[in-house]
Amino acid sequence: MDPDSVMRLAQVKDLLSGQSFFDLTQYRMNAPIGLEMHWSRLIDLPIAALVLVGNTWIGPEYGVPFALTVWPMLVLLPVLVAVGMLAREVGGTRAVLPSLIFALACPRIAVFMPGQIDHHNVQILFSLALATCVVISHRAPKFAGAAGVLAPMSLSIGMETVVYVLICCAWFPGLWILKGSEKARQMASFALGLFCTTGLLMAGLQIPSSGFNARCDVLSFAYAPALMAGALGLYILATTGRPTSSQLGRLAAVGALAAVCILSIAAAAPDCLKGPYASLNADLRPIWFDHIPETWSLFTTWHKDIHTALILYPYMMSAIACGG
């Protein structure tokens, strides 16, 4: 249904045809050299598995249609579960049904239609699951650990969710600054999950495929040292707490830790502080990048595609109003 899904299918087919799991080069682009993709194998693997299941259960010619049909629905199911859990936590049982209706009526539900195997639907899932874990963690600290696991996994799939991850990374330290030891367990759980998962993703995916390169558009050594250092620092602060008995002391400690993380990114890849696509060739922006709708702000969308703006933004505003 869209070029990205076609490219994802090509990547999955190459994997099934014997291309190395750690070779993310797409040889159909920039031939004959190829182009190294920033897409994650975390999406390719389940789709490839569904193709094999379809080939085995239905027939060799039905594996791909089976995967194209089933995968978006498999992603939609936990999305609806996350919406329901989040609604119940915030508004009680009576909020669940209206929230599910809003979710199913959302124009973006199209990314869960058969054939949509790009990573956007999974990013929606991870973002909702992350929000759910953050909200529930106030009464169940183990969900803070789950948030720490989900945050780097979301970044590994695509850097589009970096804003949500940054909010999450600020949430737990913020609560700890305000309430101290009462929120230390949540922050420690989040930090532990963030540290371990980032390390595993780097060791299991990034290092074997791209080495120790610092790239802005993927979870690489531009960001991983900062994430792991920040997570380790938060864990130490949460479990010791000696120099942070006052709010001012906790604020100073978290501020110093944030400065260390920013300096780490600046040392590894200073351009990445400007955003995931800071290193994009300037000549490509006016002829390609500026024409991608998902990169547009509200005002740009209103100017370039008023129909999309009238569909998406009033819907979101009405949902926020109902939530309030």
Side-chain angles (χ1 to χ4, degrees):
M1 295 180 68
D2 64 272
D4 287 349
S5 292
V6 174
M7 181 56 70
R8 174 70 67 186
L9 181 58
Q11 190 163 301
V12 169
K13 285 185 173 182
D14 290 343
L15 178 64
L16 290 172
S17 298
Q19 185 168 334
S20 171
F21 178 85
F22 299 110
D23 180 10
L24 296 177
T25 305
Q26 181 47 251
Y27 294 99
R28 293 170 178 80
M29 299 182 69
N30 194 34
I33 301 170
L35 176 70
E36 184 179 357
M37 303 292 290
H38 63 261
W39 288 353
S40 173
R41 289 295 195 197
L42 292 177
I43 306 294
D44 294 340
L45 273 181
I47 298 173
L50 286 172
V51 172
L52 294 177
V53 169
N55 287 339
T56 303
W57 287 1
I58 309 174
E61 67 274 23
Y62 293 107
V64 169
F66 176 77
L68 292 176
T69 304
V70 172
W71 174 244
M73 292 190 294
L74 287 179
V75 178
L76 178 60
L77 180 60
V79 162
L80 297 178
V81 171
V83 168
M85 291 178 64
L86 188 57
R88 185 179 62 181
E89 193 69 24
V90 174
T93 305
R94 65 179 182 176
V96 174
L97 182 58
S99 297
L100 291 175
I101 293 173
F102 261 100
L104 291 171
C106 176
R108 282 300 181 189
I109 199 71
V111 299
F112 299 97
M113 296 291 288
Q116 292 284 4
I117 57 172
D118 188 22
H119 56 258
H120 292 134
N121 47 24
V122 180
Q123 287 179 319
I124 291 173
L125 168 60
F126 273 64
S127 298
L128 282 168
L130 184 60
T132 303
C133 290
V134 169
V135 170
I136 296 178
S137 66
H138 76 94
R139 61 174 177 79
K142 63 183 179 180
F143 279 90
V149 171
L150 288 168
M153 288 185 66
S154 176
L155 292 179
S156 180
I157 291 171
M159 294 299 294
E160 292 96 330
T161 59
V162 65
V163 174
Y164 310 132
V165 172
L166 287 175
I167 292 172
C168 183
C169 289
W171 179 259
F172 292 101
L175 288 179
W176 179 72
I177 290 170
L178 292 174
K179 300 187 177 181
S181 59
E182 181 184 339
K183 296 297 181 181
R185 186 180 174 190
Q186 283 94 324
M187 188 170 80
S189 297
F190 171 75
L192 186 62
L194 180 64
F195 181 87
C196 294
T197 306
T198 302
L200 288 172
L201 288 171
M202 295 303 295
L205 295 177
Q206 183 63 32
I207 296 175
S209 61
S210 300
F212 293 87
N213 294 332
R215 298 168 55 192
C216 298
D217 62 341
V218 69
L219 182 60
S220 67
F221 271 85
Y223 308 108
L227 277 175
M228 297 183 72
L232 182 61
L234 291 178
Y235 184 81
I236 293 172
L237 290 174
T239 53
T240 58
R242 286 184 180 178
T244 55
S245 56
S246 67
Q247 278 191 355
L248 186 60
R250 293 192 291 271
L251 178 61
V254 171
L257 189 58
V260 169
C261 294
I262 294 172
L263 289 173
S264 173
I265 297 174
D271 285 346
C272 295
L273 290 175
K274 301 175 184 177
Y277 302 107
S279 58
L280 185 69
N281 188 305
D283 294 334
L284 288 176
R285 289 188 175 274
I287 63 175
W288 170 64
F289 192 76
D290 290 345
H291 298 279
I292 301 176
E294 65 192 66
T295 67
W296 296 348
S297 67
L298 166 60
F299 302 104
T300 304
T301 306
W302 188 270
H303 177 70
K304 292 187 174 183
D305 188 357
I306 190 172
H307 300 291
T308 298
L310 288 173
I311 291 173
L312 290 180
Y313 287 98
Y315 181 89
M316 287 188 285
M317 296 304 176
S318 63
I320 292 172
C322 289

